[in-house]
Amino acid sequence: MTVRYKRPDKKNALSIVLAADREMHFTLTLKLTADAASTIIRNIYECFRMLGDALLVARGVESSDHLLPIQELIKLNVNTSRPISLLDNLRRLRHQINYYGYLPSVVEAEDTISLAKACFKSISEAVFKEVGGKKL
């Protein structure tokens, strides 16, 4: 894992949070089918990763992989109905889909959607607040 330090950029971090929110909102409107499962899982994962990136950008840190952004989210002190640590499982699932041609089941996509519904809003609000955003 390579980490590079840059100038903190809160404006860019806020843009990333807002983009993640828009993408998540859209992704959750997609009809869940066997053909759409991998796209839905990848999109949901990407929205969470973007939130982690927003934290890093606001702190002036650039990561060369997806591990650090997800780790930053897992460190957040946020109350959710499902454990935030499940984001690391989602990271691994997305890796299998992208790099090994794994075809996820509809049940795996339903679980991912459930995780997003249980955690995304709280995490997004915490990240938004931490990067200096005003009340939504």
Side-chain angles (χ1 to χ4, degrees):
M1 172 178 10
T2 305
V3 176
R4 189 175 137 219
Y5 294 96
K6 306 171 28 169
R7 171 181 288 168
D9 189 344
K10 292 197 179 230
K11 186 176 180 184
N12 186 22
L14 288 170
S15 293
I16 294 169
V17 173
L18 295 175
D21 286 346
R22 281 191 309 272
E23 279 298 310
M24 182 62 79
H25 177 74
F26 169 75
T27 300
L28 293 177
T29 67
L30 297 176
K31 183 178 179 191
L32 178 56
T33 64
D35 290 336
S38 60
T39 298
I40 290 170
I41 291 169
R42 281 195 297 246
N43 284 7
I44 288 173
Y45 168 78
E46 185 66 16
C47 292
F48 279 112
R49 187 203 55 78
M50 288 170 71
L51 293 179
D53 273 348
L55 286 173
L56 296 174
V57 167
R59 296 175 189 155
V61 176
E62 182 179 285
S63 176
S64 64
D65 61 20
H66 290 199
L67 191 58
L68 189 57
I70 296 301
Q71 287 174 342
E72 290 302 309
L73 293 180
I74 291 171
K75 290 180 196 174
L76 289 174
N77 186 17
V78 177
N79 288 329
T80 59
S81 58
R82 293 189 66 188
I84 295 176
S85 60
L86 291 173
L87 293 178
D88 197 49
N89 294 345
L90 180 57
R91 180 185 63 79
R92 287 189 201 117
L93 176 59
R94 175 252 173 213
H95 186 83
Q96 293 286 35
I97 293 167
N98 277 10
Y99 300 107
Y100 296 103
Y102 179 72
L103 186 60
S105 68
V106 170
V107 172
E108 288 171 308
E110 287 171 341
D111 186 55
T112 301
I113 291 168
S114 170
L115 178 65
K117 288 180 177 179
C119 299
F120 187 80
K121 184 176 184 201
S122 297
I123 293 172
S124 177
E125 288 172 354
V127 171
F128 187 76
K129 186 176 179 181
E130 186 166 325
V131 301
K134 303 297 181 218
K135 189 173 183 180
L136 289 173

